[in-house]
Amino acid sequence: MLHSKYKGDIEMSVGLVLEGGAMRGMYTAGVLDVFMDNSIKIDGIVGVSAGVLFGLNYASCQKGRTIRYNKLYANDKRYMGINSLIKTGNIVNKEFAYYELPRKLDKFDEETFEKSNIQFYATVTNVHTGKSEYIKITNALEQTEVLRATSAMPLVSKMVQLQNCKYLDGGISDSIPIEKCIQLGYDKIIVILTRPITYRKKKTKNVIEKIVYRNYPNLINAIKNRYKNYNNTVEKIINMESKKEIFVIRPSKLIKVNRIEKDINKLQQMYDLGVNDCKNILEKLNLYLS
């Protein structure tokens, strides 16, 4: 995959920010499939949670893979759901979803991913510090535990051990990692969100989290302030978008999709919305990138 746009003799690097949201990520999958159809080239990706898991398929040039395997296995007890949570402590089954599926059932193209040379970062939350960390993915299959960590939803997932620290979903500490993408110095930045422009998180009491994570006070603090940090980031993105400093693609309407959605029709609707929204803004996107 080739990268970068050129304007005269000036090379323009393009960064991409991918919000999470579990099965709302079907929207992102639809947008990225249109990117592939229209040769929208990206130099770097900073994703979180499902944004990482589904964004990998853009870097590996596997159009349609995200929607395909999610529809096929959405109602398979081996994949995700209460059955897995009770048996393994993880609502998304570790062995099936992260190991068997990408290696045997719907193979991830590791070779193409590595040849893409996309600088790919996964956002994780360090439960000891409550802070976000950004881990570079150079080999997705060898770094499967990083992929689990970025998408390990609190309360319904076990903490993931990486070296000497434990981690959970990157969205706890940095739901939309725009700041990290800015720090990496890309000339142009595209942000793909999975919520409509009117959405804001509400403050919650987090009673269960305070009990379950009582030994991790910094994590509890991050969870408590998540709504505030998320809403501030959304406002920052809207402000940057109004100044044409970044280009934002977000759902044009609300489709209610559960985090662990089993209705394959809703998954398809979310994917189709991503496809249609992206097609509708392609001309503006190309103008921004030029």
Side-chain angles (χ1 to χ4, degrees):
M1 182 182 285
L2 298 175
H3 304 291
S4 301
K5 297 282 182 180
Y6 292 85
K7 184 175 182 181
D9 295 324
I10 302 173
E11 182 178 346
M12 304 292 287
S13 60
V14 182
L16 177 64
V17 178
L18 301 177
E19 184 182 9
M23 288 303 147
R24 291 199 314 275
M26 289 304 113
Y27 180 84
T28 301
V31 172
L32 293 179
D33 280 357
V34 176
F35 276 23
M36 283 186 261
D37 280 342
N38 291 272
S39 300
I40 303 296
K41 308 303 182 186
I42 302 298
D43 297 283
I45 295 174
V46 186
V48 59
S49 195
V52 172
L53 301 182
F54 302 155
L56 286 169
N57 295 314
Y58 166 84
S60 65
C61 298
Q62 289 177 280
K63 180 191 172 186
R65 181 174 181 265
T66 299
I67 185 66
R68 178 176 67 240
Y69 75 73
N70 277 288
K71 285 177 66 177
L72 183 60
Y73 295 110
N75 291 287
D76 191 318
K77 290 182 179 180
R78 297 173 297 171
Y79 186 32
M80 60 183 182
I82 299 300
N83 184 67
S84 176
L85 181 61
I86 293 172
K87 288 185 175 181
T88 71
N90 292 303
I91 199 161
V92 178
N93 188 279
K94 170 185 173 180
E95 296 302 327
F96 183 82
Y98 292 95
Y99 285 92
E100 185 175 356
L101 198 159
R103 287 167 171 79
K104 297 179 181 179
L105 302 177
D106 197 326
K107 292 184 178 180
F108 177 73
D109 189 344
E110 180 64 43
E111 182 179 357
T112 299
F113 171 76
E114 291 181 28
K115 286 181 179 178
S116 75
N117 291 320
I118 292 175
Q119 306 299 299
F120 202 113
Y121 292 87
T123 309
V124 294
T125 299
N126 185 316
V127 302
H128 308 282
T129 65
K131 303 291 186 180
S132 55
E133 296 178 13
Y134 308 89
I135 301 175
K136 190 174 183 179
I137 304 297
T138 55
N139 185 306
L141 294 179
E142 289 182 359
Q143 293 176 277
T144 297
E145 290 303 288
V146 177
L147 306 185
R148 287 212 309 122
T150 188
S151 54
M153 294 180 282
L155 299 181
V156 292
S157 306
K158 291 181 178 179
M159 295 177 180
V160 178
Q161 185 88 27
L162 300 176
Q163 296 182 333
N164 297 321
C165 294
K166 294 179 180 180
Y167 295 87
L168 281 174
D169 193 322
I172 297 170
S173 54
D174 193 358
S175 296
I176 312 171
I178 179 71
E179 286 293 342
K180 176 62 177 179
C181 198
I182 292 171
Q183 289 171 14
L184 290 170
Y186 296 107
D187 298 303
K188 303 283 186 174
I189 294 177
I190 304 168
V191 181
I192 302 178
L193 303 178
T194 57
R195 301 273 200 183
I197 194 170
T198 55
Y199 176 80
R200 299 293 184 276
K201 283 190 181 298
K202 296 179 180 179
K203 183 178 181 180
T204 56
K205 294 182 178 180
N206 307 121
V207 176
I208 299 176
E209 287 90 340
K210 289 176 182 177
I211 296 172
V212 174
Y213 301 125
R214 60 188 176 277
N215 295 324
Y216 301 92
N218 291 325
L219 176 65
I220 292 174
N221 192 54
I223 292 172
K224 182 180 71 174
N225 291 314
R226 184 180 184 181
Y227 83 99
K228 191 186 304 180
N229 294 332
Y230 179 90
N231 294 342
N232 288 340
T233 302
V234 168
E235 295 298 335
K236 177 183 177 69
I237 287 172
I238 291 173
N239 183 51
M240 292 182 70
E241 181 185 18
S242 70
K243 297 176 181 177
K244 303 189 185 307
E245 295 173 349
I246 59 175
F247 192 92
V248 183
I249 304 172
R250 58 170 68 83
S252 57
K253 65 179 181 179
L254 175 64
I255 296 177
K256 292 185 178 180
V257 174
N258 293 328
R259 295 183 70 82
I260 305 298
E261 184 60 65
K262 299 288 188 179
D263 187 337
I264 61 174
N265 291 321
K266 285 189 177 182
L267 297 181
Q268 187 67 54
Q269 287 172 23
M270 199 68 177
Y271 173 84
D272 290 343
L273 182 63
V275 169
N276 293 328
D277 282 354
C278 190
K279 286 181 177 179
N280 288 336
I281 54 84
L282 265 178
E283 187 175 346
K284 291 181 180 179
L285 176 58
N286 282 314
L287 184 62
Y288 170 77
L289 294 176
S290 67

